[in-house]
Amino acid sequence: MSAADNKKLMQQIFAAAGNPDPAARDRALFAASLAEDATWTVTGQYSWSRTFTGKQSILNDLHGHVRSLLQERARTVAHRFIADGDHVVIEAKGDNVTRDGVRYDNDYCLVFRLEDGKIKEIREYCDSVLTEKALGQFPAPQARAAG
């Protein structure tokens, strides 16, 4: 796909998922566009910093945890898309409230790498202090019992 095609896909994903009408929000295009072996890296050196590997880990471990902390009306609104080859860089702002009533309106720079119309890599840059202040620390991985 061309840079223009990649940019258009990401614009469609963010338009659907960030719709101002909560009833019209649709995250299905994002999920459908994730490659099975996609990675999402939360950059930095704080409790959320890690790489989520695989579509299910991104949707369940990362997004599932975030959704458990936020009210249903949560969304991220993109306001700039820059495409170069197989990369699309998106500046976005959260429009979120935690279940405890705390505003969580983080600023994001998200770097997506696409391959054949599928999202292969995501790198997330954001205000780590705000993330931990509003959402708390990311849970430590559970130790698996030997069996």
Side-chain angles (χ1 to χ4, degrees):
M1 290 178 57
S2 70
D5 292 333
N6 289 333
K7 181 178 178 179
K8 182 178 180 181
L9 174 61
M10 296 312 303
Q11 288 170 324
Q12 291 169 336
I13 288 170
F14 274 82
N19 192 306
D21 177 3
R25 263 183 223 139
D26 185 0
R27 292 177 176 87
L29 182 57
F30 171 73
S33 299
L34 270 177
E36 290 298 325
D37 61 347
T39 60
W40 185 308
T41 300
V42 178
T43 63
Q45 297 180 22
Y46 68 117
S47 68
W48 288 73
S49 299
R50 67 193 68 214
T51 297
F52 297 87
T53 302
K55 180 177 186 171
Q56 292 310 310
S57 179
I58 292 167
L59 295 176
N60 299 329
D61 302 335
L62 176 58
H63 286 191
H65 180 63
V66 171
R67 278 192 315 274
S68 76
L69 300 172
L70 298 176
Q71 293 180 7
E72 287 297 316
R73 59 173 291 285
R75 69 187 185 130
T76 301
V77 180
H79 54 88
R80 180 170 292 127
F81 295 82
I82 302 167
D84 182 19
D86 59 355
H87 286 84
V88 179
V89 179
I90 300 169
E91 286 186 84
K93 181 140 186 102
D95 178 19
N96 304 299
V97 179
T98 68
R99 294 189 188 270
D100 296 331
V102 175
R103 289 294 316 173
Y104 178 59
D105 300 330
N106 215 328
D107 290 297
Y108 298 96
C109 180
L110 301 161
V111 181
F112 290 82
R113 185 178 71 78
L114 293 96
E115 187 177 291
D116 299 322
K118 293 287 188 178
I119 299 166
K120 293 287 281 188
E121 296 176 16
I122 305 158
R123 291 188 58 82
E124 173 184 320
Y125 301 87
C126 69
D127 181 343
S128 58
V129 173
L130 176 60
T131 300
E132 285 192 332
K133 183 178 175 184
L135 302 181
Q137 293 200 351
F138 196 87
Q142 299 287 330
R144 291 201 164 97

